[in-house]
Amino acid sequence: MPLTNLRILLLFISVGGACAFRAWPQEQILSFAINQVKLRYVSPVERQTLVNAALDGLARNLDRYSSYFDPAGMSRLKEDLDKQFGGIGVEILLDPKTKELVVASPLVDSPAYRAGVRAGDKIVEIDGTSTKGMSVGDVARLLRGPPGQSVRLKLLPYGKSDPVELTLIRSIIQEYTVLGDRRRPDGTWDYFLDMPNIPKIGYIRINSFGSQTHTELEKVIDELLRQGMEGLILDLRNDPGGLLGSAIAVCDLFLPSGVVVTIRGKGGQIREVFTASGKGKYLELPMAVLVNQYSASAAEIVAACMQDHKRAVVVGQRTFGKGTVQELIELGPRHGILKVTTATYWRPSNKQIHRADDAKEEDDWGVKPDPGYEVPVEGEVFVRLVRLRMYRDMANQEMARQYHAQSTSGGSTLAAESGALAESAELFDDPQLMKAVEYMKAKVQEKTSRQVVSAALAP
């Protein structure tokens, strides 16, 4: 074709395309683009592949919590809801400042947990693929797979400058969300703090909010009360969240009445207000709630509710600031599901929980500890406490032997570090926990004194 004719043809295509863009509604531009790519792209490509890619790009450009699940990904959503899946057992957050993917919490007894992966570790690569620019959903898809298959990770351990590589074997992950202070030899949890010169203080950790969390929690508290529990420390540190309904049900156990959380939609319009049922069972139980920078979403709802109603003191560090609601929009069996942010969570005090991408430290977001109860834990202290907690979780001898066997068989230097450190130190160097214990001792003493006075004044 003569060069002049080719130039005329290219000009015609450009002008025609520009006219189409001006004439068509914006939604049709996407259809036009897909058709053009399918027609002109150098390699064959299925139209459905292009549609899925467009939907994925649409979602990921909204915010860091919106995402697209193709038909295959719909099964992963079901796994999330069932809390049982094939994977390595880690909860992940996307740091809004650095855009890095951070382990919020390894699930107890999971492959990641036994290998020494801990809260604060950054996931750099998965099977040789860099995680830079990935969403949490992207990483979840890469980490999950059939049980028995291996996955290779490159991690940057919290507080370290050199990455480490681990090869883990995926297994079925069944998440239990209500944990205690330490394992007994038979593998069950001891929910009382083992410390000298303190009242009978219950210690319960919630590592995420699943469909059975409030039921598990109620069962444990009832048993502890039968054993004479005088106060409760609820540890929500490194808890990345979970189901809204579960968080509301947990709050309902401790409140006589009042707002638990409000959901606001576009333009700040109130969409729904959740209130306590008035059937709370544990209204007089002295309480402290522990939070840190990796407490997010449902964990923040519980901490904020307890704080705003002055039902418990909040101890630790400012929380993560994840206070958005995602809804699932079904696109049909061929096209999957869009998960889109449609609203935000607001505290009973009418303050927003969510931290926007451009939020400043002085803005209102997340949950701050009560005055006098902020206890920062960073750097090596944080690393040490996480390691010690992991070891204490696996304190029964058989689990400990397996843990050390893996660490000495070329599997994980992180696990070896954790085990060696745990053998030579006590857990209760935890300054945030100790601050909560200090508060609980005073509250229990105050309650006891009131009871003595009441008894003395009784006719």
Side-chain angles (χ1 to χ4, degrees):
M1 179 183 293
L3 183 58
T4 302
N5 291 350
L6 177 61
R7 286 173 175 167
I8 293 172
L9 176 61
L10 290 175
L11 178 61
F12 175 81
I13 292 173
S14 299
V15 171
C19 292
F21 275 85
R22 283 195 299 270
W24 292 350
Q26 290 178 329
E27 290 78 3
Q28 289 184 298
I29 293 174
L30 179 60
S31 178
F32 175 79
I34 289 173
N35 288 334
Q36 292 300 307
V37 170
K38 180 169 174 55
L39 178 67
R40 300 170 185 276
Y41 186 61
V42 68
S43 300
V45 58
E46 293 293 328
R47 182 182 300 277
Q48 190 61 53
T49 301
L50 294 174
V51 170
N52 290 353
L55 290 169
D56 183 62
L58 181 153
R60 72 172 58 242
N61 279 281
L62 297 175
D63 61 28
R64 59 185 182 273
Y65 301 113
S66 296
S67 56
Y68 168 68
F69 295 86
D70 61 18
M74 293 169 67
S75 63
R76 289 189 293 272
L77 279 180
K78 184 178 184 301
E79 291 169 352
D80 280 338
L81 295 175
D82 292 342
K83 290 294 182 183
Q84 181 170 307
F85 46 85
I88 63 169
V90 290
E91 298 276 7
I92 304 164
L93 291 171
L94 181 67
D95 189 310
K97 285 186 177 179
T98 65
K99 307 303 180 185
E100 295 171 312
L101 292 150
V102 179
V103 175
S105 179
L107 307 182
V108 174
D109 299 343
S110 67
Y113 189 97
R114 291 192 293 270
V117 178
R118 56 187 183 264
D121 290 352
K122 297 172 183 175
I123 302 176
V124 180
E125 290 182 6
I126 302 172
D127 284 331
T129 301
S130 171
T131 61
K132 187 174 182 179
M134 286 188 182
S135 68
V136 172
D138 294 331
V139 171
R141 285 190 283 272
L142 291 176
L143 291 179
R144 293 184 182 180
Q149 287 191 356
S150 65
V151 59
R152 191 173 74 256
L153 301 183
K154 180 181 284 188
L155 300 174
L156 185 62
Y158 180 91
K160 303 288 185 180
S161 56
D162 296 322
V164 298
E165 292 194 5
L166 302 173
T167 298
L168 306 179
I169 305 299
R170 295 182 178 97
S171 66
I172 292 294
I173 305 297
Q174 177 65 55
E175 184 177 0
Y176 299 95
T177 61
V178 177
L179 314 178
D181 176 42
R182 62 197 176 283
R183 295 272 195 177
R184 298 187 181 99
D186 64 358
T188 60
W189 288 104
D190 189 338
Y191 292 96
F192 279 112
L193 290 177
D194 181 22
M195 299 174 66
N197 304 316
I198 66 168
K200 293 199 77 171
I201 298 175
Y203 173 81
I204 297 176
R205 287 179 292 146
I206 298 179
N207 63 4
S208 70
F209 286 81
S211 59
Q212 298 302 312
T213 299
H214 67 287
T215 304
E216 294 176 39
L217 179 63
E218 186 175 0
K219 182 179 178 180
V220 170
I221 293 176
D222 284 346
E223 179 57 33
L224 294 181
L225 288 172
R226 280 193 289 271
Q227 297 178 38
M229 178 174 64
E230 299 176 87
L232 173 65
I233 294 175
L234 190 63
D235 192 343
L236 303 181
R237 291 177 296 180
N238 307 319
D239 181 335
L243 300 178
L244 171 63
S246 178
I248 293 168
V250 167
C251 292
D252 196 49
L253 293 173
F254 303 104
L255 294 179
S257 61
V259 174
V260 174
V261 64
T262 299
I263 296 180
R264 294 176 181 264
K266 184 172 290 188
Q269 292 294 314
I270 294 177
R271 283 178 33 178
E272 197 160 5
V273 179
F274 294 93
T275 59
S277 68
K279 300 177 182 178
K281 293 177 62 177
Y282 314 116
L283 305 183
E284 301 298 327
L285 181 66
M287 282 184 64
V289 176
L290 287 170
V291 296
N292 69 0
Q293 64 270 41
Y294 299 121
S295 304
S297 188
E300 295 178 281
I301 289 172
V302 172
C305 180
M306 296 293 100
Q307 186 178 62
D308 287 354
H309 285 284
K310 296 182 169 39
R311 181 61 190 83
V313 69
V314 174
V315 182
Q317 286 170 269
R318 192 181 201 176
T319 59
F320 186 82
K322 197 282 184 185
T324 55
V325 180
Q326 282 74 44
E327 291 184 10
L328 301 180
I329 302 172
E330 295 192 20
L331 306 175
R334 291 182 55 211
H335 301 296
I337 288 176
L338 277 173
K339 185 173 75 169
V340 179
T341 299
T342 59
T344 52
Y345 295 132
W346 291 67
R347 305 170 54 143
S349 60
N350 284 323
K351 293 181 179 179
Q352 183 168 281
I353 290 175
H354 190 62
R355 169 175 51 166
D357 289 344
D358 59 351
K360 300 179 176 59
E361 287 298 315
E362 60 269 22
D363 294 340
D364 272 329
W365 52 264
V367 182
K368 294 180 181 178
D370 284 289
Y373 290 94
E374 183 171 4
V375 184
V377 170
E378 306 282 356
E380 286 302 314
V381 177
F382 178 81
V383 171
R384 181 174 177 277
L385 290 178
V386 171
R387 291 176 186 162
L388 291 174
R389 169 49 67 193
M390 291 174 66
Y391 182 82
R392 200 169 178 87
D393 287 345
M394 305 180 72
N396 91 50
Q397 292 304 303
E398 180 58 31
M399 292 171 67
R401 279 195 293 272
Q402 294 175 6
Y403 185 64
H404 290 300
Q406 181 172 357
S407 71
T408 56
S409 63
S412 169
T413 55
L414 296 179
E417 281 183 23
S418 301
L421 185 61
E423 290 173 349
S424 63
E426 291 294 327
L427 175 67
F428 295 112
D429 294 339
D430 181 340
Q432 293 172 337
L433 178 58
M434 290 305 298
K435 192 68 174 177
V437 169
E438 175 189 312
Y439 170 83
M440 292 305 306
K441 287 172 67 175
K443 292 298 288 184
V444 170
Q445 180 59 46
E446 178 186 319
K447 183 178 179 181
T448 302
S449 299
R450 285 201 308 268
Q451 289 171 344
V452 169
V453 171
S454 296
L457 295 176

